[in-house]
Amino acid sequence: MAQTLNLTITADVLTPAELSAAEARCWAAAQAATDHAYAPYSHFHVGAALLLDDGSLAWNTNQENAAYPSGLCAERTLLFGLNGQRPVRAVKLMAVAARPQNGEFVAVTSCGACRQVMIEFENQQGAAIPLLLPGPDGTIWRFKRLADLLPFQFMPDVLPPRS
Ligand code: THU
Protein backbone atom coordinates (compact mmCIF):
# COMPACT_ATOMS: atom_id res chain seq x y z
CA MET A 1 0.00 0.00 0.00
CA ALA A 2 1.25 3.47 -0.84
CA GLN A 3 2.65 5.39 2.08
CA THR A 4 1.74 8.96 2.90
CA LEU A 5 4.15 11.68 3.88
CA ASN A 6 2.68 14.20 6.32
CA LEU A 7 4.44 17.41 7.21
CA THR A 8 3.77 19.77 10.09
CA ILE A 9 5.03 23.34 10.16
CA THR A 10 4.85 25.05 13.51
CA ALA A 11 4.97 28.75 14.34
CA ASP A 12 4.13 30.72 17.48
CA VAL A 13 1.31 33.23 16.92
CA LEU A 14 2.12 36.31 19.00
CA THR A 15 0.82 39.78 19.70
CA PRO A 16 3.38 42.61 19.43
CA ALA A 17 3.32 42.89 23.24
CA GLU A 18 4.58 39.31 23.51
CA LEU A 19 7.85 40.03 21.68
CA SER A 20 11.04 40.19 23.71
CA ALA A 21 12.91 43.50 23.70
CA ALA A 22 15.40 42.12 21.16
CA GLU A 23 12.61 40.80 18.93
CA ALA A 24 10.78 44.11 19.13
CA ARG A 25 13.93 45.97 17.96
CA CYS A 26 14.33 43.72 14.95
CA TRP A 27 10.62 43.90 14.17
CA ALA A 28 10.66 47.71 14.34
CA ALA A 29 13.72 47.81 12.07
CA ALA A 30 11.94 45.75 9.40
CA GLN A 31 8.92 48.04 9.60
CA ALA A 32 11.02 51.22 9.48
CA ALA A 33 12.97 49.88 6.51
CA THR A 34 9.80 49.86 4.39
CA ASP A 35 10.15 53.65 4.16
CA HIS A 36 13.23 53.08 2.00
CA ALA A 37 11.90 50.51 -0.46
CA TYR A 38 12.41 51.35 -4.11
CA ALA A 39 9.10 50.09 -5.47
CA PRO A 40 7.83 52.51 -8.12
CA TYR A 41 6.23 49.67 -10.11
CA SER A 42 4.51 47.47 -7.54
CA HIS A 43 4.01 50.22 -4.93
CA PHE A 44 4.51 47.42 -2.41
CA HIS A 45 7.13 48.23 0.19
CA VAL A 46 8.95 45.36 1.88
CA GLY A 47 11.55 45.64 4.63
CA ALA A 48 13.70 42.87 6.08
CA ALA A 49 15.91 43.12 9.15
CA LEU A 50 18.47 41.01 10.97
CA LEU A 51 19.62 41.13 14.57
CA LEU A 52 23.29 40.21 14.90
CA ASP A 53 24.94 38.69 17.95
CA ASP A 54 26.67 41.95 18.82
CA GLY A 55 23.24 43.58 19.16
CA SER A 56 23.51 45.52 15.93
CA LEU A 57 20.80 45.53 13.28
CA ALA A 58 21.04 45.22 9.51
CA TRP A 59 18.17 45.92 7.14
CA ASN A 60 17.29 46.32 3.51
CA THR A 61 14.34 46.65 1.18
CA ASN A 62 12.95 45.51 -2.15
CA GLN A 63 14.59 47.16 -5.10
CA GLU A 64 12.73 47.31 -8.41
CA ASN A 65 13.65 48.20 -11.96
CA ALA A 66 11.85 49.21 -15.16
CA ALA A 67 13.05 45.89 -16.55
CA TYR A 68 10.89 44.08 -14.00
CA PRO A 69 12.84 40.83 -13.47
CA SER A 70 15.93 42.86 -12.64
CA GLY A 71 14.47 43.83 -9.27
CA LEU A 72 15.07 41.91 -6.06
CA CYS A 73 13.04 41.19 -2.91
CA ALA A 74 13.96 42.75 0.42
CA GLU A 75 15.03 39.44 1.93
CA ARG A 76 17.58 38.63 -0.76
CA THR A 77 18.82 42.22 -1.02
CA LEU A 78 19.53 42.02 2.71
CA LEU A 79 21.11 38.56 2.86
CA PHE A 80 23.28 38.87 -0.24
CA GLY A 81 24.39 42.34 0.84
CA LEU A 82 25.36 41.25 4.33
CA ASN A 83 27.18 38.18 3.06
CA GLY A 84 29.23 40.39 0.75
CA GLN A 85 30.13 42.83 3.50
CA ARG A 86 30.32 40.72 6.66
CA PRO A 87 30.72 37.05 5.79
CA VAL A 88 31.80 36.26 9.36
CA ARG A 89 29.01 37.09 11.76
CA ALA A 90 26.24 35.41 13.72
CA VAL A 91 22.65 36.28 12.96
CA LYS A 92 20.25 35.76 15.86
CA LEU A 93 16.94 36.77 14.31
CA MET A 94 15.26 37.84 11.06
CA ALA A 95 12.08 39.86 10.58
CA VAL A 96 10.07 40.93 7.52
CA ALA A 97 7.45 43.67 7.17
CA ALA A 98 5.41 44.90 4.20
CA ARG A 99 2.84 47.52 3.31
CA PRO A 100 1.42 49.28 0.29
CA GLN A 101 3.33 52.48 -0.52
CA ASN A 102 0.96 54.73 1.44
CA GLY A 103 -0.77 52.13 3.55
CA GLU A 104 -0.75 50.10 6.71
CA PHE A 105 1.35 47.00 7.37
CA VAL A 106 -0.08 43.78 6.00
CA ALA A 107 0.43 40.07 6.52
CA VAL A 108 3.07 38.66 4.19
CA THR A 109 5.14 35.53 3.74
CA SER A 110 8.45 35.45 1.90
CA CYS A 111 8.43 34.22 -1.70
CA GLY A 112 9.82 30.82 -2.64
CA ALA A 113 13.06 32.13 -4.14
CA CYS A 114 13.79 34.08 -0.96
CA ARG A 115 13.05 31.04 1.19
CA GLN A 116 15.63 29.03 -0.72
CA VAL A 117 18.22 31.77 -0.22
CA MET A 118 17.30 32.23 3.45
CA ILE A 119 17.87 28.53 4.13
CA GLU A 120 21.27 28.48 2.46
CA PHE A 121 22.24 31.55 4.51
CA GLU A 122 21.16 29.71 7.67
CA ASN A 123 23.05 26.58 6.67
CA GLN A 124 26.13 28.68 5.95
CA GLN A 125 26.16 30.04 9.49
CA GLY A 126 25.42 26.61 10.94
CA ALA A 127 22.91 27.79 13.54
CA ALA A 128 19.17 28.32 13.44
CA ILE A 129 17.83 31.81 12.72
CA PRO A 130 14.35 32.41 14.12
CA LEU A 131 12.04 34.40 11.86
CA LEU A 132 9.25 36.89 12.56
CA LEU A 133 6.64 37.30 9.83
CA PRO A 134 3.53 39.47 9.93
CA GLY A 135 0.48 37.25 10.32
CA PRO A 136 -3.19 38.18 9.88
CA ASP A 137 -4.97 40.68 12.15
CA GLY A 138 -1.79 42.23 13.52
CA THR A 139 -0.38 38.96 14.83
CA ILE A 140 3.26 37.98 14.45
CA TRP A 141 4.30 34.50 13.38
CA ARG A 142 7.53 33.29 14.94
CA PHE A 143 9.27 30.37 13.26
CA LYS A 144 12.12 28.61 15.05
CA ARG A 145 14.34 28.50 12.00
CA LEU A 146 14.36 29.78 8.42
CA ALA A 147 14.34 26.21 7.13
CA ASP A 148 10.83 25.76 8.56
CA LEU A 149 9.48 27.94 5.76
CA LEU A 150 10.43 25.67 2.90
CA PRO A 151 10.21 21.91 3.13
CA PHE A 152 11.89 20.07 0.27
CA GLN A 153 14.30 22.89 -0.46
CA PHE A 154 16.97 22.17 -3.03
CA MET A 155 20.19 21.20 -1.28
CA PRO A 156 23.63 21.66 -2.83
CA ASP A 157 24.87 18.23 -1.76
CA VAL A 158 23.20 16.67 -4.81
CA LEU A 159 25.38 18.71 -7.13
CA PRO A 160 28.16 16.70 -8.76
CA PRO A 161 31.71 17.34 -7.55
CA ARG A 162 33.82 19.62 -9.72
CA SER A 163 35.97 17.55 -12.06
N1 THU B 1 8.76 41.20 -2.48
C1 THU B 1 9.69 41.12 -1.48
O1 THU B 1 10.47 42.06 -1.26
N2 THU B 1 9.73 40.00 -0.73
C2 THU B 1 8.94 38.91 -0.94
O2 THU B 1 9.12 37.88 -0.28
C3 THU B 1 7.88 38.95 -1.94
C4 THU B 1 7.79 40.17 -2.77
C5 THU B 1 8.75 42.41 -3.32
C6 THU B 1 9.18 42.17 -4.73
C7 THU B 1 8.52 43.31 -5.46
O3 THU B 1 9.36 44.44 -5.38
C8 THU B 1 7.26 43.56 -4.64
O4 THU B 1 7.46 42.94 -3.39
C9 THU B 1 6.00 43.02 -5.29
O5 THU B 1 6.12 41.68 -5.60
Side-chain angles (χ1 to χ4, degrees):
M1 188 180 118
Q3 294 187 327
T4 304
L5 187 60
N6 289 306
L7 297 178
T8 303
I9 297 179
T10 303
D12 299 319
V13 181
L14 307 170
T15 65
E18 291 175 308
L19 295 180
S20 71
E23 288 170 334
R25 284 180 66 226
C26 192
W27 184 249
Q31 290 191 325
T34 62
D35 287 350
H36 307 293
Y38 179 66
Y41 305 102
S42 73
H43 307 288
F44 190 64
H45 285 216
V46 185
L50 299 171
L51 175 68
L52 280 66
D53 66 344
D54 64 359
S56 64
L57 293 161
W59 58 87
N60 222 315
T61 62
N62 53 326
Q63 297 292 313
E64 298 183 353
N65 190 273
Y68 292 171
S70 301
L72 197 62
C73 294
E75 295 92 326
R76 278 176 287 164
T77 305
L78 174 63
L79 297 181
F80 289 152
L82 188 72
N83 243 3
Q85 290 179 342
R86 299 175 63 179
V88 179
R89 85 281 120 171
V91 172
K92 305 304 268 184
L93 180 66
M94 181 170 185
V96 178
R99 60 177 176 80
Q101 186 173 350
N102 296 314
E104 301 297 317
F105 291 107
V106 295
V108 74
T109 49
S110 301
C111 81
C114 284
R115 296 179 195 200
Q116 180 74 34
V117 169
M118 289 155 71
I119 291 170
E120 183 149 335
F121 184 93
E122 183 172 63
N123 288 341
Q124 196 188 350
Q125 94 159 12
I129 301 173
L131 172 68
L132 302 177
L133 287 180
D137 304 320
T139 59
I140 300 168
W141 288 355
R142 182 174 62 202
F143 296 84
K144 283 193 166 50
R145 56 190 70 80
L146 301 181
D148 287 349
L149 273 192
L150 184 63
F152 306 116
Q153 66 269 28
F154 182 76
M155 297 297 278
D157 54 5
V158 299
L159 296 174
R162 285 174 61 182
S163 53

